[in-house]
Amino acid sequence: MHVHHVGIMVKEIERSIAWYERMLGLKLAGRHELGRTRIAFMDTGNALLELIQKEGTFPLEGVVNHVAFQVDDLSTTIAHLRAEGVELGDAKPRSIWDGGQVFFFDGPDGETLELFQPGR
């Protein structure tokens, strides 16, 4: 068993697709429309991130605390985000077990995202 995808609600799907491509290097893997709901799947390399835009009000369904992306070089990724003007909540990465580090920030619709660099 493995994670196939994690779905997050977005306000403007085209803006979110462009943001995840530019900021995190994800690739668009597919698009679908189900009635008035627009869906885009972004390839993370080992699972998909499903962006969901529904017509009308912006629904906050379900409880997902954050989506974490593993990176090889946390400092380089953070520098890229800063250079692109992304508002970054954490001042610097936090150390966790086994020498790993994490860094939290918000995506374009306020979704909490984590960058994770494993330790040993």
Side-chain angles (χ1 to χ4, degrees):
M1 182 182 322
H2 66 275
V3 173
H4 179 266
H5 71 270
V6 174
I8 60 171
M9 304 305 294
V10 301
K11 293 178 184 174
E12 298 175 27
I13 201 158
E14 297 304 325
R15 177 191 68 176
S16 293
I17 290 168
W19 192 91
Y20 279 97
E21 287 176 331
R22 188 175 73 249
M23 299 305 167
L24 298 180
L26 304 187
K27 302 292 183 210
L28 181 63
R31 294 174 179 259
H32 304 278
E33 290 197 22
L34 299 170
R36 295 171 19 146
T37 300
R38 298 174 67 197
I39 296 170
F41 285 100
M42 306 300 293
D43 188 352
T44 70
N46 59 359
L48 297 171
L49 182 65
E50 179 185 20
L51 306 176
I52 307 162
Q53 176 189 326
K54 289 188 176 181
E55 292 283 327
T57 60
F58 184 68
L60 298 174
E61 299 169 344
V63 179
V64 174
N65 182 267
H66 66 279
V67 177
F69 298 93
Q70 183 173 327
V71 298
D72 294 326
D73 186 337
L74 189 56
S75 297
T76 298
T77 305
I78 292 170
H80 167 71
L81 293 172
R82 280 202 173 100
E84 290 287 340
V86 175
E87 294 284 327
L88 300 176
D90 285 351
K92 61 181 184 175
R94 288 186 265 168
S95 295
I96 57 171
W97 56 89
D98 295 332
Q101 293 186 311
V102 296
F103 186 84
F104 290 90
F105 64 105
D106 289 340
D109 287 305
E111 63 273 23
T112 301
L113 303 175
E114 173 188 342
L115 298 176
F116 166 71
Q117 181 176 324
R120 337 181 227 342

